[in-house]
């Protein structure tokens, strides 16, 4: 009984196993029919046919595909996997998947064919191509080995401008452009736009017909001194899916005339000046669009005050802008044009004060006007002058010798300064002055013992007259000055005193044109009075007067003079201290172009055009004991030289095309002579 029960239980288990195996076999048979066989009574193996609605499409368009089965899909339907070339797309069914970068298309990874149906559709999206490209599509039935394939072409689409305005557009205006595609996709296309010289929208939508957009020309910069009388060339580019087209555009009509100013000349409001450093190497400006745009190499154009070259810029956290500056030359800011100042009446100016007073030992304007050895008493002098007259008196005592030189003169006061610049190169530079006038000189020397010398015999005086002259074309001031300098060397071998006097009448015009002298009837006529002397032995004196000396300057100094006389509030102590504190950070970018005079160019004026008279009268007296048989009275002999010299510092001019003014200037006129008092044969010097 027990064994029978065991047998019954074993038979039941096998029946259960058999039923499970049969169920698994039937399930596998059904799955195989859906995935690979789809076989039914009296039918063969299933096949797949893949077709595209278009044999070729343009880039950006889509193409509809169709998968057709040779037999209806069974209950539950079937899945057909899709791919490009020989590779199926690995993505969840129903999601669009992109191809490899080499295939310009994307499509769903699979298509579901519903139960009882024989086909399903899918859509292939394309992108643009440069040349026609074939897209190959593969379809696989489930996980079986049943495949189908097809292909179609993607053809390129080009971009072009359908509307291009003719001619240039003015600054601040706009023009309408048109853009289109050789084939516009049904869904439209977003064309990207970019441009130089003008502004355009970031993109424009092309749908069904060419699209238009507006190109806007910039307005003239409020900072630039070069408002583009010269046209500016630009370009507009339209791009869509790798295809692009470009067309030139010109802003600013060509009037045939180049810009007067260089492209790096920046307009600065005079009232933007907050302070000037004590040595005038740094200018602090209020923050503004123009001040913030400054960079090394630019030129600041400050109306009524001057032009300065920018060496470096430092933004200050409080909002100001510190600018390291140096003197600008004419070609630094003038690109093309003529500048002429003809007998302009100067605006009388006083020497800079405030933070740039000559009493300030750090101020550039406090130049050493005289030199002497340690312990030696310097020359002391007073001056006065106008545009038409001047005078000075100088006095010195040294080791028992006392000397004085006094002079007064009349001048015409006119001048002619002409420069011609073309393509940033100076073509002509002329400076002439009518020198008609007089020079009246009195000198005196007295010694307390033999062999006493004067020590430093030269005296470089402060200007006798200063005035600002505006260039009418640009409204930039030059500094017009009249100087007087001299050399006085008395020589006595005993305790004695002497006093002399001479007067010279000058006439004619003189100057320099490039490297050539200009002499229009220059002449000097002397009138030498008898010298009063107590000397018993031979003695003498040399008096050389460099007056009048006419100079026209464009430099950092002329800027300082203009600020001092037209905007004195800018030379304030607080602003100067601020500028001083920033100079160390800008020093390496500053050109130190203001130098003290050196012994070999003691009377040189940097960055100036000048015309000067030099009158040298050397007196030689026989003394009271020197009368000979041929002369019942002591003889006095006078050796005379009269010169006119002229020059233009090339640093003021800038880049010169053609003849360059010589460093030492040119000799315009020279006259020599000897005379004696009394004018008798026995007193005249031997030739």
């Amino acid at each position: 009984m027990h064994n029978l029960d065991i047998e019954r239980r074993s038979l039941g288990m096998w029946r259960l196993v058999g039923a499970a195996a049969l169920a698994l076999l039937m399930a596998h048979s059904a799955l195989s029919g859906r995935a690979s066989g789809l076989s039914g009574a009296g039918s063969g193996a299933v096949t797949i046919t893949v077709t595209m609605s278009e044999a070729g499409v343009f880039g950006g368009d889509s193409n509809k595909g169709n998968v057709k089965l040779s037999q209806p899909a069974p209950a539950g339907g079937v899945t057909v996997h899709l791919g490009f070339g020989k590779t199926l797309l690995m993505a969840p069914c129903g999601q669009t998947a992109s191809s490899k970068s080499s295939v310009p298309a994307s499509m769903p990874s699979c298509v579901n064919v519903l139960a009882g149906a024989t086909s399903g559709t899918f859509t292939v999206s394309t992108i643009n191509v440069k040349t026609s490209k074939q897209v190959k599509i593969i379809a696989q039935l489930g996980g079986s080995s049943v495949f189908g394939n097809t292909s179609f072409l993607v053809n390129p689409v080009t971009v072009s401008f359908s509307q291009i305005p003719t001619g240039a557009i003015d600054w601040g205006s706009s023009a309408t452009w048109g853009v289109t595609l050789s084939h516009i996709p049904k869904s439209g296309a977003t064309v990207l736009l970019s441009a130089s010289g003008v502004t355009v929208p970031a993109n424009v939508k092309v749908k069904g017909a060419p699209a238009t957009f507006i190109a806007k020309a910039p307005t003239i910069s409020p900072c630039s001194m070069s408002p583009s009388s010269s046209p500016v060339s630009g370009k507009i580019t339209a791009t869509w899916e790798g295809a692009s087209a470009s067309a030139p555009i010109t802003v600013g009509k060509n009037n045939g005339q180049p810009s007067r100013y260089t492209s790096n000349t920046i307009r600065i409001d005079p009232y933007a000046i907050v302070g000037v450093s004590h040595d005038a190497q740094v200018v602090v400006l209020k923050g503004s669009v123009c001040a913030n745009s400054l960079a090394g190499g630019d030129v600041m154009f400050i109306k009524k005050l001057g032009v300065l070259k920018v060496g470096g810029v430092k933004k200050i956290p409080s909002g100001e802008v510190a600018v390291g500056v140096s003197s600008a030359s004419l070609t630094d800011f003038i690109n093309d044009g003529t500048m002429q100042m003809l007998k302009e009446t100067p605006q009388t100016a006083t020497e800079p004060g405030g933070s740039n007073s000559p009493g300030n030992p750090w101020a550039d304007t406090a130049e050493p006007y005289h030199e002497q050895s340690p312990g030696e008493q310097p020359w002391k002098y007073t001056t006065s002058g106008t545009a038409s007259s001047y005078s000075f008196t100088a006095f010195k005592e040294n080791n028992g010798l006392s000397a004085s030189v006094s002079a007064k003169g009349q001048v015409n006061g006119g001048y002619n300064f002409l420069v011609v610049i073309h393509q940033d190169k100076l073509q002509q530079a002329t400076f002439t002055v009518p020198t008609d006038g007089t020079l009246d000189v009195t000198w005196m020397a007295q010694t307390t013992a033999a062999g006493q010398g004067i020590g430093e015999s030269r005296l470089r005086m402060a200007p006798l007259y200063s005035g600002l002259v505006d260039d009418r074309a640009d409204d930039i001031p030059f500094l017009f000055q009249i100087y007087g300098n001299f050399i006085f060397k008395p020589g006595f071998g005993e305790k004695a005193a002497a006093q002399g006097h001479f007067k010279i009448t000058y006439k004619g015009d003189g100057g320099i044109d490039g490297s050539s002298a200009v002499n229009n009837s220059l002449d000097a006529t002397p009138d030498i009075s008898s010298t009063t002397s107590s000397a018993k032995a031979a003695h003498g004196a040399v008096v050389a007067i460099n007056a009048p000396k006419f100079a026209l300057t464009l430099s950092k100094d002329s800027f300082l003079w203009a600020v001092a006389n037209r905007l004195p509030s800018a030379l304030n102590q607080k602003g100067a201290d601020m500028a001083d504190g920033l100079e160390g950070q800008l020093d390496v970018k500053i050109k130190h172009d203001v130098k003290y005079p050196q012994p070999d160019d003691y009377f040189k004026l940097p960055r100036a055009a000048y015309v000067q008279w030099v009158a040298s009268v050397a007196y030689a007296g026989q003394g009271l004991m020197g009368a000979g048989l041929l002369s019942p009275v002591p003889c006095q002999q006078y050796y005379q030289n009269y010169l006119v010299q002229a020059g233009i510092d090339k640093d003021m001019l800038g880049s010169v095309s053609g003849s360059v003014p010589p460093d030492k200037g040119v000799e315009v006129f020279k006259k020599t002579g000897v005379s004696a008092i009394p004018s008798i044969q026995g007193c005249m010097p031997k030739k």
Side-chain angles (χ1 to χ4, degrees), residues 646-670:
I648 305 178
D649 188 346
K650 63 179 180 294
D651 288 339
M652 181 179 78
L653 301 177
S655 181
V656 179
S657 175
S659 60
V660 179
D663 288 339
K664 299 296 184 181
V666 296
E667 184 179 280
V668 182
F669 169 83
K670 183 175 183 178

Side-chain angles (χ1 to χ4, degrees), residues 207-286:
K207 189 172 184 179
T212 59
F213 62 91
I214 301 297
K216 295 181 179 180
T219 58
I220 296 174
S221 168
C223 305
S224 174
M225 289 297 295
S226 177
S228 308
S229 53
S230 298
V232 172
S233 297
K235 182 173 69 173
I236 296 179
T237 300
T239 304
W240 179 76
E241 293 202 4
S244 66
S246 296
I249 185 170
T250 301
V251 180
K253 294 181 178 179
N254 191 344
N255 59 10
Q257 299 296 323
S259 170
R260 177 173 180 82
Y261 300 104
T262 57
S263 59
N264 60 333
T265 300
I266 306 301
R267 180 186 288 106
I268 297 295
D269 182 357
Y271 293 97
I273 299 176
V274 174
V276 180
S277 65
H278 289 95
D279 60 2
Q281 299 283 37
V282 174
V283 177
V284 178
L285 305 172
K286 296 176 184 176

Side-chain angles (χ1 to χ4, degrees), residues 330-355:
L330 291 172
T331 58
D332 282 335
F333 73 99
I334 296 180
N335 172 67
D336 206 284
T338 298
M339 173 189 289
Q340 184 169 25
M341 288 175 282
L342 179 61
K343 294 186 178 181
E344 303 286 347
T345 302
Q347 172 199 348
T348 299
T350 57
E351 197 161 7
S355 61

Side-chain angles (χ1 to χ4, degrees), residues 48-137:
I48 303 176
T49 302
V50 185
T51 59
M52 303 303 298
S53 61
E54 303 287 345
V57 297
F58 286 99
D61 279 344
S62 59
N63 201 358
K64 183 165 286 190
N66 182 274
V67 176
K68 188 173 183 179
L69 306 179
S70 60
Q71 297 179 21
V78 295
T79 299
V80 178
H81 296 279
L82 302 174
F84 292 107
K86 296 181 180 180
T87 304
L88 295 175
L89 295 172
M90 302 305 294
C93 192
Q95 292 187 11
T96 299
S98 299
S99 67
K100 294 181 179 179
S101 59
S102 59
V103 180
S106 61
M107 63 182 177
S109 60
C110 59
V111 178
N112 289 318
V113 181
L114 301 178
T118 58
S119 66
T121 61
F122 61 94
T123 300
V124 181
S125 299
T126 67
I127 59 175
N128 198 25
V129 292
K130 292 183 178 181
T131 58
S132 295
K133 194 159 190 176
Q134 187 179 48
V135 175
K136 296 179 180 179
I137 295 176

Side-chain angles (χ1 to χ4, degrees), residues 432-447:
T432 60
V433 174
T435 67
D436 295 352
T438 59
L439 173 65
D440 196 311
V441 178
T442 299
W443 60 268
M444 182 278 293
Q446 182 176 352
T447 62

Side-chain angles (χ1 to χ4, degrees), residues 561-604:
W561 280 74
V563 172
N565 288 270
R566 295 176 174 178
L567 193 64
S569 61
L571 299 183
N572 62 85
Q573 194 65 42
K574 181 179 179 181
D577 290 343
M578 179 190 296
D580 285 345
L582 295 162
E583 186 167 328
Q585 301 175 49
L586 293 166
D587 189 64
V588 294
K589 299 179 180 179
I590 298 174
K591 182 180 179 182
H592 296 267
D593 59 346
V594 177
K595 300 177 181 179
Y596 292 144
Q598 302 301 309
D600 59 343
D601 60 356
Y602 187 61
F603 299 121
K604 182 179 180 180

